[in-house]
Amino acid sequence: MKLTFRYGGLDAKGVVVTSLVVVAMGVAVAWLFATSAGAYYLAAWVSAVCLALVALCGLSIPTRIILSDKTLELRCLVDTTYIALESIADVDFVGADGFKKKVPIVGSCGFMGYLGRYVDVRTGCIHRLYASNRKKGVAIHTSKRRYLISCNNPELLVAALNEARKLAAQE
């Protein structure tokens, strides 16, 4: 058995945050180039930092979730996170409520998605977010980590993951 789930597009907040950040970066770089009076080194540094931030977030965008017989793979453009099915303690569809009271430690805050490490202010637990749409959130708790992901069909993912966990436990 091998099932693939797509992450899907950004939700409305993600689109607004991404648009605002890109516009702010563009305005800052343009202003620095326009007012630097021949000393373009500061503008060049700010442009390089902006491009590096866009590249880092762009390469961290989740692309798909692959559920196989033994593992759940969270694939990004340059990285893959493997979660063994026997280590998964709980899976639940949480929707937008799962994203409430989460503060980024290192994360994108909606810029190109919800990526990074976030702390839950109520419990103090650290969550790893791989999400693009807050309304389609799925919480996965393992013995060591907590993940918050999203996909186009979250109910189907939860059902398939629970079934795969039962089959893996029987083996």
Side-chain angles (χ1 to χ4, degrees), residues 18-161:
T18 302
S19 301
L20 289 175
V21 169
V22 168
V23 167
M25 285 181 190
V27 167
V29 169
W31 181 79
L32 284 170
F33 273 111
T35 61
S36 62
Y40 296 119
Y41 63 90
L42 181 60
W45 273 103
V46 170
S47 323
V49 168
C50 290
L51 286 174
L53 179 66
V54 169
L56 178 65
C57 285
L59 292 174
S60 300
I61 293 173
T63 56
R64 63 183 171 250
I65 301 166
I66 298 176
L67 176 61
S68 65
D69 293 333
K70 303 268 186 216
T71 60
L72 178 70
E73 300 175 21
L74 307 175
R75 291 201 179 170
C76 299
L77 290 175
V78 295
D79 186 33
T80 302
T81 301
Y82 297 94
I83 304 171
L85 292 181
E86 62 265 3
S87 71
I88 296 175
D90 187 33
V91 179
D92 193 24
F93 173 72
V94 292
D97 292 337
F99 291 85
K100 291 182 180 176
K101 306 285 185 179
K102 304 281 189 294
V103 177
I105 298 171
V106 176
S108 64
C109 301
F111 179 62
M112 296 184 157
Y114 306 92
L115 313 166
R117 308 294 187 267
Y118 287 63
V119 65
D120 188 335
V121 295
R122 289 175 284 184
T123 63
C125 295
I126 295 176
H127 295 261
R128 295 170 183 243
L129 267 68
Y130 297 91
S132 59
N133 191 332
R134 294 174 300 138
K135 294 177 185 171
K136 298 179 179 181
V138 175
I140 300 173
H141 298 176
T142 66
S143 54
K144 295 181 181 179
R145 294 192 172 102
R146 296 173 185 263
Y147 299 91
L148 196 53
I149 63 175
S150 69
C151 69
N152 283 340
N153 299 319
E155 295 89 2
L156 182 62
L157 173 64
V158 170
L161 198 47

